[in-house]
Amino acid sequence: EGVMHSNMTRMDGYDPTDPVSLTQAEIEGRRQTREYVRFLQERVPGYANARLVWLSTQIGIRETRRVYGDYRLTIEDVMGARKFPDTVGQCGAPVEDHHGGRDTKWVYVPDSGVYDIPFRTLIPQGLDNVLVAGRCFSATHEAHASCRSMAQTMTMGQAVGVAAALCVQQADSPRTLNVQELQQRLLGMGAVLYEDQHVPAEEPSDRPGAGVR
């Protein structure tokens, strides 16, 4: 027996900010899933006895509302592989701009480059005690189409979590937090913030399970 994970369904024309429309998208996604299962069983060799064992808990949403932060990541930043002094992570993913039909736009960062994710994109304008992480961060539509993948959103989450802890410990606010200290904490956790960063190998240890990931 084997297990295969597939990402095949796609819904266009729904509004994820409207609960009724989102429910309709959930229903349509499950209908498409059943149709894919039928197709695989009937048409693809090796799938005759396959069965569906798991579905995502909810439909995946690429983009809805985004904040305006102290900085707004742009397509020029992405294509220029721009570096920022307040980086909390990096991204080298292409712009994956989806539209209805088959006209998905793919644009790659030149020369296999990577760009930085500025901490300022996680601080909403006009708020002193709020940080955001994930697909609501501050970016233009095209830049967001590159930096919204799971690895980048998890990177933002780690940065925001550490920043929030530092703010509590130091009675500080995100906007006045010492970014260099935040970066050092992230580096100590194994985060990759710089293109030429040396990531040291783990030191051997006698502790049970040491070095096992």
Side-chain angles (χ1 to χ4, degrees), residues 75-96:
I75 188 62
E76 290 78 19
D77 297 329
V78 172
M79 290 294 104
R82 186 174 177 187
K83 306 301 185 288
F84 294 91
D86 60 335
T87 176
V88 291
Q90 293 193 316
C91 178
V95 173
E96 184 184 345

Side-chain angles (χ1 to χ4, degrees), residues 200-212:
E202 290 190 2
E203 294 292 331
S205 172
D206 294 330
R207 291 184 294 106
V212 177

Side-chain angles (χ1 to χ4, degrees), residues 130-202:
V130 175
L131 288 162
V132 301
R135 293 176 172 176
C136 59
F137 84 115
S138 179
T140 64
H141 170 75
E142 286 184 304
H144 185 273
S146 166
C147 202
R148 66 182 173 210
S149 298
M150 290 184 182
Q152 288 76 48
T153 55
M154 288 190 292
T155 294
M156 297 177 205
Q158 182 184 29
V160 162
V162 174
L166 288 174
C167 287
V168 170
Q169 292 170 4
Q170 301 173 7
D172 210 340
S173 70
R175 193 165 279 107
T176 58
L177 183 67
N178 186 322
V179 175
Q180 287 75 29
E181 182 176 357
L182 169 61
Q183 290 169 331
Q184 288 304 310
R185 294 292 186 98
L186 292 171
L187 289 169
M189 295 175 173
V192 178
L193 308 185
Y194 309 109
E195 196 167 3
D196 57 352
Q197 179 178 326
H198 171 66
V199 181
E202 290 190 2

Side-chain angles (χ1 to χ4, degrees), residues 11 14-31 59 61:
M11 269 61 65
Y14 295 94
D15 181 2
T17 66
D18 176 358
V20 174
S21 182
L22 183 58
T23 298
Q24 292 171 342
E26 296 276 7
I27 294 170
E28 171 61 16
R30 282 156 175 73
R31 186 200 66 77
I59 198 167
I61 301 171

